[in-house]
């Protein structure tokens, strides 16, 4: 009982010093991959890079302690990071304090939902995400993730558009205008190191090597070269006017946001007081303010884009300061420093006394040392209601990824796996992680594979991984300052390449064409609606449920006959001739309210199509359940068949269906002597009677019965 509450107690049965050494080595190996990967995934989620380290501190340890898999490595993962960004970007600006607060709340909601599913033993709910839907979504997500890193690879900055493909078009347009080649070079070098080391020796931590080499190189060559200047240092009247206009629009947006809050409060007050005129006035004012805010947002976007497109040359003055001129307009007699400078523009007001000019590539920058504060995320009911649908989707997707990895490893190790306990472990990891400044985490396929290959015996390996992350946060964060952003982009792109699986579409199509179609539609919908990834999943789930309902409402009804081998088969599939006097019909599925009338229609059609029909044999092996509607339909079928002077029998009725027939007394109506254990017995008992005065000279159902009869 104690091990059910604390599964980690089971680790120490027959635990040896050799297993302890293996866990330490595997924990260290995973940490070497996790630290750079987690920082990259944090940026994919719209968080500052160091929040990836926070998400790698508590979740790996807690998930291992309370989950059932001993080798599953939990932490930041690509798909969940992308879903986090897609969920939060409509609510706040990526990287802002509000955005971070929402991310921590989202992690808490994900953890609570997963924990409740595990405690209530509802792990099977994940089956609503069918494999074709997940395959389509995962392939699309991999493309979205990889393409979202192009701006960092090219060293350009663009505003995100309503749809992802529009954002990519902006990136391509900006990159064609100007690409920072040292940034691109850093990204390509990181790719070359990771691919090269993977081919030379897969056991070498290629991600860590790429990060270390490029960080040292970045520090040595002065890759990051930013400076802050007064607006007067930019010797271009048009640029100064653009900056002033931009600041004015940002201030206007902020003022309108405050005004909107005040009007919303008046609207709520009027609604509470049932003041309809006041309510409609407030609603009108709210629409006006929203329109004005949208106009200003569009204007600020255009100004920001124009400022980002401006390229400058820096000229060093006698006092060592820099003055900037538009490229190609440096006054005669002055020599520039050879760099291309750009204005760093975000969503905030530009400080005219300290405008940031970029003359190099982007790096991670300052990473706070020490542990994040432990605190429960701020709870806001309105925000919770907005985040809840996304929390449910992330919970199911994250768990599906984790449990599929855990099952694959359990098959190799022979370990017993409990999906509900794994849900509890993942839930607690996200709940406690949220209190330690973690955004949603899940099981990682790549790091779990590394953990298994490194020889992990128990979940202690994940505890050691968390310990190494803790040491990094305490002592080594200053070393991460010069890590190029382009390298983190390369790490992400390298990681998601493995998610692309074109063969999954082909396999689904071969299994069932509708599964292949669902997978392809889910893929296209996810790409088309990105960054609104929930729409792609919802479309896929709706199609899966639609197909399921259609198949349930119209299950296969097969007319059976015999061939040369005397085995009953579907006559239409195998091109077999049917008997004129006996109809052997097999119903493949439970008989319930949704398909009961369909069976009636099928029986009626056969009666109309077979004028010489004498006997129906309903093969019931496929009917595994029957409800009141199904029982009523079966009773009507018996009446319909027998009212025309024909007879009907059942074969292969299972215990559950037989119990219903007995309780409703339908068995007496059919006749116990008309219910047979198997179809062959039913044929032998009914064949002779059905062929009295028959005109059929060669019945395909007769051969076996003659042999039985002679016996």
């Amino acid at each position: 009982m104690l091990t059910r509450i604390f599964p980690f107690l089971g680790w120490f049965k027959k635990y040896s010093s050799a297993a302890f050494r293996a866990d330490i080595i595997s924990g260290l190996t995973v940490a070497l991959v996790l630290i750079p990967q987690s920082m990259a995934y944090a940026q994919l989620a719209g968080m500052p890079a160091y929040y990836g380290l926070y998400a790698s501190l508590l979740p790996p340890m807690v998930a291992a302690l309370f989950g059932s898999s001993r080798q599953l490595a939990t932490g930041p993962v690509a798909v969940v990071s992308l879903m986090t960004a897609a969920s939060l970007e409509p609510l706040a600006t990526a990287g802002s304090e509000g955005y971070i607060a929402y991310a921590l709340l989202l992690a808490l909601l994900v953890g609570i939902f997963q924990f409740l599913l595990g405690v209530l033993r509802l792990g099977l709910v994940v089956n609503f995400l069918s494999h074709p839907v997940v395959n389509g979504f995962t392939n699309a997500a991999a493309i979205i993730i990889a393409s979202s890193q192009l701006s960092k690879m090219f060293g350009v900055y663009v505003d995100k558009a309503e749809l992802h493909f529009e954002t990519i078009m902006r990136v391509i347009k900006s990159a064609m205008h100007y690409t920072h080649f040292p940034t691109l070079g850093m990204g390509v070098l990181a790719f070359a190191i990771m691919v090269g080391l993977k081919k030379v020796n897969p056991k070498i931590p290629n991600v860590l090597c790429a990060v270390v080499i490029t960080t040292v190189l970045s520090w040595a060559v002065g890759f990051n070269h930013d400076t802050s200047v007064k607006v007067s240092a930019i010797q271009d009247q048009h640029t100064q006017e653009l900056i002033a206009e931009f600041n004015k629009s940002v201030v206007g947006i902020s003022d309108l946001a405050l005004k909107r809050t005040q009007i919303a409060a008046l609207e709520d007050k009027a609604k509470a007081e049932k003041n309809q005129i006041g309510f409609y006035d407030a609603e009108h004012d709210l629409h006006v303010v929203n329109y004005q805010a949208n106009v200003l947002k569009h204007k600020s976007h255009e100004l920001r884009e124009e400022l980002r497109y401006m390229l400058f040359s820096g000229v060093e003055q006698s006092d060592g300061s820099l003055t900037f001129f538009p490229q190609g307009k440096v006054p005669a007699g002055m020599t520039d420093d050879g760099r291309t400078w750009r204005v760093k523009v975000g969503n905030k007001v530009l400080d005219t006394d300290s405008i940031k000019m970029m003359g190099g590539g982007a790096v991670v920058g300052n990473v706070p040392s020490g542990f994040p504060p432990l605190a429960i995320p701020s709870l806001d009911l309105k925000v919770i209601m907005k985040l809840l649908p996304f929390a449910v989707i992330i919970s199911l997707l994250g768990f599906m990824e984790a449990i599929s990895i855990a099952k694959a490893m359990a098959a190799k190790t022979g370990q017993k796996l409990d999906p509900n306990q794994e849900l509890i472990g993942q839930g607690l990891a996200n709940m406690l992680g949220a209190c330690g400044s973690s955004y949603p985490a899940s099981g990682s396929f790549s790091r779990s594979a590394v953990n298994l290959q490194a020889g992990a015996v128990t979940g202690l390996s994940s505890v050691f991984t968390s310990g190494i992350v803790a040491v990094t946060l305490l002592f080594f964060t200053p070393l991460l300052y010069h890590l190029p952003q382009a390298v983190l982009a390369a790490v992400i792109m390298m990681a998601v390449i493995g998610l692309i699986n074109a063969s999954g579409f082909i396999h689904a199509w071969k299994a069932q064409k509708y599964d292949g179609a669902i997978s392809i539609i889910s893929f296209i919908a996810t790409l088309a609606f990105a960054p609104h990834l929930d729409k792609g999943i919802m479309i896929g789930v709706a199609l899966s449920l639609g197909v399921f309902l259609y198949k349930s409402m119209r299950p296969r009804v097969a007319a059976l006959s015999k061939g040369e081998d005397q085995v009953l088969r579907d006559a239409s599939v195998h091109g077999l001739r049917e008997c004129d006097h006996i109809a052997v019909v097999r119903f493949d599925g439970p008989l319930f309210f949704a398909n009961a009338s369909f069976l009636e229609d099928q029986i009626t059609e056969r009666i109309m199509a077979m004028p010489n029909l004498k006997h129906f044999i309903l093969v019931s092996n496929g009917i595994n359940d029957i409800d009141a509607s199904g029982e009523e339909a079966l009773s009507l079928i018996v009446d319909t068949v027998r009212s025309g002077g024909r007879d009907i029998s059942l074969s292969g009725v299972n215990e559950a269906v037989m119990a219903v027939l007995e309780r409703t007394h339908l068995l007496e109506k059919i006749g116990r002597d008309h219910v047979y254990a198997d179809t062959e017995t039913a044929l032998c008992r009914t064949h002779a009677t059905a062929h009295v005065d028959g005109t059929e000279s060669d019945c395909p159902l007769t051969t076996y019965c003659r042999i039985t009869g002679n016996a």
Side-chain angles (χ1 to χ4, degrees), residues 174-471:
S174 184
M176 289 175 68
H177 171 70
Y178 173 75
T179 294
H180 188 245
F181 286 103
T183 295
L184 182 61
M186 281 290 187
V188 171
L189 177 61
F191 265 121
I193 293 169
M194 288 186 286
V195 172
L197 289 179
K198 200 170 185 179
K199 286 184 177 180
V200 172
N201 188 347
K203 291 185 177 180
I204 297 174
N206 55 77
V207 174
L208 183 70
C209 290
V211 166
V212 170
I213 292 170
T214 53
T215 301
V216 171
L217 183 62
S218 169
W219 167 77
V221 301
F223 175 71
N224 176 242
H225 201 86
D226 297 345
T227 188
S228 295
V229 298
K230 291 184 177 182
V231 71
S232 57
I234 301 174
Q235 297 295 304
D236 182 58
Q237 185 65 32
H238 179 58
T239 303
Q240 293 182 6
E241 289 173 358
L242 285 177
I243 290 171
E245 279 294 308
F246 174 75
N247 284 347
K248 185 178 177 182
S249 66
V250 173
V251 171
I253 292 169
S254 179
D255 291 342
L256 287 173
L258 182 61
K259 189 175 179 181
R260 183 166 49 197
T261 304
Q262 293 169 346
I263 294 171
L266 291 173
E267 186 182 39
D268 291 340
K269 183 180 178 182
K271 189 175 181 180
E273 294 174 353
K274 297 183 179 179
N275 180 358
Q276 289 190 348
I277 294 175
F279 177 80
Y280 290 136
D281 283 344
E283 197 171 47
H284 170 266
D285 292 343
L286 205 57
H287 285 305
V288 172
V289 168
N290 285 335
Y291 169 76
Q292 293 171 339
N294 287 333
V295 170
L296 279 179
K297 283 179 181 177
H298 181 69
K299 183 180 179 182
S300 67
H301 157 68
E302 289 181 332
L303 292 167
R304 191 161 42 237
E305 187 174 49
E306 190 173 352
L307 281 168
R308 285 170 175 165
Y309 265 57
M310 302 190 78
L311 305 176
F312 299 90
S313 296
V315 176
E316 189 172 353
Q317 303 300 305
S318 57
D319 60 356
S321 64
L322 285 171
T323 302
F324 299 95
F325 299 89
Q327 276 195 345
K329 295 184 179 180
V330 177
M334 293 187 177
T335 306
D336 64 55
D337 60 359
R339 292 180 179 272
T340 297
W341 293 84
R342 293 170 292 166
V343 180
K344 176 74 172 177
V345 191
N347 295 312
K348 296 179 180 179
V349 172
L350 292 172
D351 184 356
T352 53
D353 288 330
S354 182
I355 290 178
K356 189 173 183 180
M357 301 293 291
M358 301 179 296
V363 295
V364 169
N366 289 316
V367 177
S369 296
F371 299 141
L374 288 173
I376 297 173
S378 178
L379 303 177
D380 185 320
L381 188 59
K382 287 184 179 179
V383 177
I384 288 173
M385 295 311 295
K386 286 181 180 179
L387 292 178
L388 197 57
F390 297 103
V392 171
I393 293 171
I394 292 172
S395 300
L396 297 180
L397 265 178
F399 174 65
M400 193 166 192
E401 186 175 2
I403 198 65
S404 60
I405 299 161
K407 282 180 178 178
M409 292 190 297
K412 292 181 180 179
T413 61
Q415 181 200 338
K416 185 180 177 182
L417 198 67
D418 182 356
N420 291 300
Q421 187 62 48
E422 200 58 54
L423 266 171
I424 291 172
Q426 292 290 312
L428 286 172
N430 277 306
M431 288 163 65
L432 294 176
C435 298
S437 299
S438 166
Y439 72 94
S442 182
S444 164
F445 182 81
S446 59
R447 295 194 299 273
S448 296
V450 169
N451 201 27
L452 186 65
Q453 289 169 3
V457 178
T458 69
L460 271 178
S461 61
S462 292
V463 176
F464 291 133
T465 298
S466 290
I468 294 163
V469 172
V471 171

Side-chain angles (χ1 to χ4, degrees), residues 6 489 569:
F6 304 109
R569 289 192 174 90

Side-chain angles (χ1 to χ4, degrees), residues 85 122 187 195 208 259 283 293 398 417 428 497 509 526 592 598 644 656 678 700:
L122 295 174
V195 172
L208 183 70
K259 189 175 179 181
E283 197 171 47
L417 198 67
L428 286 172
I497 288 172
W509 185 269
T526 304
F592 67 117
F598 178 67
D678 56 67

